[in-house]
Amino acid sequence: MEDEFGQLLDPALETMHQRVIIHIDIDCFYAQVEMLKNPELRNQPLGIQQKNIVVTCNYVARQFGLKKCMLLAEAKELCPSLVLVKGEDLFDYRQMSSKVTSVLQKFSPLVEKLGLDENFIDVTQVVAEKLQNGFNSGQNIAGHVYSDVTENCMCGCFNRLSVGSVIAADMRAQIYEELGLTCCAGIAHNKLLAKLVCGVQKPNQQTTILPCSVPGLMAGIQNIRKIPGIGHRTSEILQSLGICSVSDLQNSSDKSLQQALGHDVVERLKKLSFGHDDSMVRPSGKPQSIGLEDGFRKISLESEVKEKCLLLLQRLMALLVEDGRIPGAIRVTVRKYNSANRQSHRESRQCNISPSIFRPKITVLSPNARQKLLMSIMKLFYKMVNISKPFHLTLLGIAFTKFQERCSGKGSITSFLMNDISVQSVLDFRNMSTSAVEEMECSPADNVCQDRSGSESEHEPSPKKTRSDFWRIRRKRSFTESDVDSINKMEVPELRLNTGEPFDKEVFQKLPSVIQEEVMESLVDLPQLTNRLGISESDNTSTGVCPPNVDPTVFRELPSDVQQELVQSWNSVNKSHTTQSPQTNSSGRKPCQNSILQYVSSSSK
DNA sequence: CCGGGCTTGT
DNA sequence: ACAAGCC
């Protein structure tokens, strides 16, 4: 509308309002969960406390003037009768949150979580179907309408949004009936507006905005910081450049702004300031990482660190088990005390871990496995904190990441092959020593590229001998130099690719005893697996597509996608072993998550 | 001790 | 790996 003709080319998304987006926000989520757990809290001013902060409170408490994220003392002063419930353990909230999401997913598969208490739902398709089936909202919008409807948009969005408002009302009713939670909803043609308008009428209500009211809504925003996407830092930068109001941002054409935030960011923010947002609702799925952290006054002893980590680890395992997936990496986060830089500056390090730690089942960690994880954790910790000098931490966190695609439960055969035990344990070994094996750490792409000219045999260590973690050599030196040297890289592929047995005995015996132990330990579940897979003597009767290392009978029973993956993983290994060109295998579809395949292919022949 | 998680972009 | 964003 306010766009010029020339800009109409710019995808008509914003002038056509084709989508219908609903934003659902549970009212004071933590407080509602606590009130469900203990109904006596309903009529009292309730605050949810995390450490020194009242992170949210019920509406009774809000009448005293309490706001979100108030300091404990401040809240107590406003409301001496405030009842406090600790909310540091998010378990119940997380659980309720996923119930909410489940309810919403019954309406549309396009549900995106934002934190624990908010969801975006793209109901465009649902609305279209309803309209096609002759559903008539009677032009009535359920709940509130933002401002006045001054004009009738030609694109038909009024109809769509009114149907959307009915769906939103239905969603809220179901959330209340099934879970006992009240919430707000915002209905609009994009995510930004849906979220902004959601909060217009506050508890337990919903609001729809029509395109004609958008300029009014945006102009009504006093603080630029209120626009989702403009956080603390960005608003500071904007303010320092004299951009304080929404209209300031709309009219900004500053060059210093571009250089401060980058061209793309500025363009995005400017569009936001007009209420334009073409970002999609991205179905959330499972989280990319699962972690826990704990803040405290002070930790300055190594033993305290270990203690804390073990506690975190134990709690984390419960979450991991619940999730069901197996992580491929672990990350440790610290916050060092810093009086000057009070802004929580965090530091983190991560490393890959052997999935075999979690075998045969991911249920409970064996004491041994726990020790191993703690070792990894501490190694990461030492990278950040030099414990030979005094230190002062105010936070410790542990998180698991890099989850395997298809794992545990059904069909982790591929992951078994990909993360072959013997190879994996060598990978672990690599982590504990600085030696020729270390360059496996560099990315597959690096390996391939650098090998391009050099060709065969000795895969040269990458020139960038990056962080020479000297502590790694000094500390935790469980292997001798000869141990390290005895692991000839050429033996690794042998170990893996010998199809007669899980691995070659002679090669195995040459390994350091520590490694042998680990391999043996990881083999606990191997008999079943080898039987099931029928990994046996060169059964090389090439039966169609079935890889020779897999029993054809078993193979045929597998889901086709698993079959495909097996073929691919076999091909990539086999090709690299028999032919040459490391290139070919890296170009294979499935990029191996494990750089070992790259390593194997580039170092062997 | 501005909480405790999580995601995304550089 | 980190900064910044979201709740």
Side-chain angles (χ1 to χ4, degrees):
Chain A
M1 210 110 247
E2 60 253 12
D3 280 349
E4 317 227 338
F5 270 121
Q7 299 188 319
L8 217 99
L9 293 175
D10 186 350
L13 282 170
E14 277 311 329
T15 55
M16 299 269 295
H17 330 117
Q18 293 298 337
R19 298 182 294 161
V20 180
I21 310 294
I22 296 174
H23 181 254
I24 297 270
D25 184 338
I26 311 290
D27 302 322
C28 52
F29 182 54
Y30 290 3
Q32 275 206 80
V33 173
E34 294 302 337
M35 293 190 304
L36 284 173
K37 281 160 68 178
N38 179 3
E40 296 189 6
L41 297 171
R42 285 234 173 250
N43 307 313
Q44 303 169 49
L46 169 66
I48 308 302
Q49 179 186 3
Q50 282 177 343
K51 293 286 153 52
N52 206 14
I53 281 184
V54 179
V55 76
T56 190
C57 60
N58 66 3
Y59 275 82
V60 179
R62 289 194 194 190
Q63 299 196 317
F64 290 83
L66 264 69
K67 298 276 168 50
K68 288 174 157 189
C69 288
M70 256 184 179
L71 287 176
L72 184 58
E74 208 177 336
K76 275 287 202 184
E77 191 156 337
L78 281 171
C79 176
S81 61
L82 186 65
V83 178
L84 290 167
V85 170
K86 285 246 198 284
E88 281 142 24
D89 187 340
L90 305 184
F91 187 88
D92 294 332
Y93 311 140
R94 213 179 263 125
Q95 199 156 287
M96 186 59 87
S97 174
S98 78
K99 284 185 189 175
V100 170
T101 304
S102 294
V103 169
L104 296 174
Q105 276 166 343
K106 293 195 295 188
F107 291 85
S108 162
L110 301 181
V111 178
E112 175 180 343
K113 279 176 72 109
L114 192 57
L116 293 184
D117 66 333
E118 295 185 20
N119 286 279
F120 287 104
I121 311 96
D122 186 327
V123 292
T124 307
Q125 211 48 46
V126 186
V127 167
E129 281 161 24
K130 288 211 177 218
L131 284 174
Q132 251 169 6
N133 295 339
F135 178 89
N136 193 348
S137 64
Q139 304 276 299
N140 284 325
I141 288 182
H144 305 276
V145 180
Y146 184 82
S147 185
D148 298 317
V149 182
T150 57
E151 55 186 278
N152 203 346
C153 180
M154 312 273 277
C155 80
C157 57
F158 185 95
N159 262 338
R160 290 191 291 273
L161 291 170
S162 65
V163 175
S165 74
V166 173
I167 295 174
D170 197 1
M171 288 172 168
R172 295 202 301 127
Q174 282 198 34
I175 288 173
Y176 185 73
E177 283 157 21
E178 294 182 24
L179 306 174
L181 293 170
T182 66
C183 63
C184 288
I187 301 94
H189 66 269
N190 70 37
K191 284 168 69 174
L192 170 71
L193 296 169
K195 183 170 166 58
L196 283 176
V197 85
C198 182
V200 169
Q201 303 278 161
K202 277 294 289 226
N204 196 18
Q205 296 169 77
Q206 68 178 66
T207 312
T208 302
I209 186 168
L210 297 160
C212 58
S213 308
V214 171
L217 175 70
M218 298 314 294
I221 296 174
Q222 302 78 358
N223 192 342
I224 211 160
R225 174 67 221 276
K226 297 277 173 61
I227 296 176
I230 301 183
H232 176 251
R233 193 63 237 260
T234 308
S235 75
E236 267 185 3
I237 293 173
L238 289 172
Q239 200 138 14
S240 76
L241 287 147
I243 297 166
C244 301
S245 70
V246 170
S247 78
D248 286 344
L249 183 53
Q250 288 175 345
N251 300 326
S252 72
S253 55
D254 210 319
K255 218 181 114 191
S256 52
L257 184 61
Q258 305 257 339
Q259 118 177 46
L261 296 173
H263 179 271
D264 291 350
V265 175
V266 173
E267 284 310 302
R268 214 189 74 240
L269 296 188
K270 263 184 99 157
K271 286 174 97 179
L272 289 181
S273 71
F274 286 103
H276 296 174
D277 175 17
D278 56 14
S279 66
M280 296 289 120
V281 172
R282 303 156 51 119
S284 296
K286 297 240 193 177
Q288 304 288 314
S289 69
I290 297 180
L292 287 174
E293 31 177 73
D294 196 358
F296 33 74
R297 284 200 179 287
K298 177 174 190 179
I299 275 191
S300 50
L301 292 176
E302 186 185 10
S303 59
E304 292 179 301
V305 173
K306 286 187 179 169
E307 228 171 275
K308 208 43 141 187
C309 285
L310 277 175
L311 275 174
L312 286 172
L313 200 52
Q314 210 152 319
R315 284 208 290 143
L316 244 188
M317 283 311 298
L319 299 178
L320 215 52
V321 168
E322 202 186 5
D323 181 273
R325 291 172 299 172
I326 293 185
I330 190 169
R331 177 173 63 240
V332 175
T333 304
V334 301
R335 183 177 63 205
K336 296 172 178 166
Y337 176 78
N338 192 339
S339 54
N341 181 13
R342 72 178 330 112
Q343 208 69 323
S344 59
H345 172 63
R346 293 148 122 90
E347 213 173 322
S348 71
R349 294 289 187 275
Q350 69 181 66
C351 71
N352 292 343
I353 53 176
S354 153
S356 70
I357 289 184
F358 301 101
R359 264 190 280 265
K361 287 213 167 105
I362 189 176
T363 51
V364 207
L365 275 187
S366 70
N368 205 318
R370 195 203 295 132
Q371 262 328 105
K372 241 172 261 175
L373 278 175
L374 184 61
M375 270 191 50
S376 301
I377 289 167
M378 292 312 289
K379 273 194 298 183
L380 294 170
F381 175 77
Y382 299 135
K383 288 193 192 187
M384 298 180 281
V385 178
N386 181 352
I387 61 161
S388 68
K389 286 193 256 177
F391 61 93
H392 180 169
L393 304 179
T394 63
L395 178 140
L396 265 174
I398 301 178
F400 287 111
T401 64
K402 292 200 196 171
F403 294 105
Q404 299 175 354
E405 270 314 317
R406 182 206 348 274
C407 54
S408 76
K410 48 176 186 174
S412 65
I413 296 144
T414 304
S415 80
F416 165 73
L417 287 178
M418 294 287 286
N419 302 306
D420 183 276
I421 310 165
S422 51
V423 164
Q424 192 63 51
S425 74
V426 175
L427 275 175
D428 286 347
F429 177 73
R430 164 209 68 192
N431 279 336
M432 303 174 178
S433 63
T434 50
S435 75
V437 224
E438 181 163 340
E439 86 273 9
M440 289 196 296
E441 194 157 355
C442 63
S443 77
D446 287 348
N447 276 352
V448 170
C449 284
Q450 278 160 15
D451 253 22
R452 188 65 204 108
S453 62
S455 78
E456 90 277 48
S457 73
E458 286 303 5
H459 175 197
E460 275 311 309
S462 84
K464 45 171 187 180
K465 189 63 185 174
T466 57
R467 19 175 200 284
S468 60
D469 303 314
F470 67 92
W471 60 265
R472 213 198 253 170
I473 312 172
R474 311 182 57 78
R475 170 181 311 284
K476 227 34 208 155
R477 190 81 175 118
S478 1
F479 311 106
T480 67
E481 286 294 346
S482 64
D483 281 339
V484 173
D485 291 336
S486 78
I487 301 223
N488 184 322
K489 280 177 303 188
M490 293 302 291
E491 291 169 358
V492 177
E494 278 180 47
L495 208 51
R496 165 64 185 85
L497 294 172
N498 187 318
T499 54
E501 303 216 26
F503 47 82
D504 186 281
K505 282 195 184 110
E506 283 187 27
V507 175
F508 178 74
Q509 277 159 9
K510 279 191 246 167
L511 296 170
S513 59
V514 203
I515 294 298
Q516 289 183 11
E517 275 169 38
E518 186 181 341
V519 171
M520 289 314 290
E521 195 184 315
S522 307
L523 282 179
V524 176
D525 59 339
L526 189 64
Q528 303 95 301
L529 277 171
T530 43
N531 287 340
R532 286 221 329 267
L533 286 171
I535 298 177
S536 61
E537 215 66 58
S538 48
D539 196 319
N540 269 344
T541 49
S542 52
T543 49
V545 286
C546 176
N549 60 339
V550 179
D551 184 325
T553 335
V554 177
F555 183 80
R556 260 180 257 114
E557 287 169 358
L558 297 170
S560 64
D561 57 329
V562 177
Q563 288 184 1
Q564 222 175 320
E565 246 181 284
L566 281 171
V567 173
Q568 276 164 13
S569 67
W570 167 257
N571 280 346
S572 71
V573 172
N574 194 39
K575 200 179 300 173
S576 64
H577 199 230
T578 57
T579 72
Q580 16 61 298
S581 178
Q583 236 73 350
T584 43
N585 100 350
S586 76
S587 68
R589 280 261 40 86
K590 193 114 189 155
C592 25
Q593 311 208 320
N594 199 335
S595 60
I596 190 61
L597 275 184
Q598 301 291 342
Y599 172 72
V600 166
S601 58
S602 52
S603 64
S604 65
K605 193 50 68 72

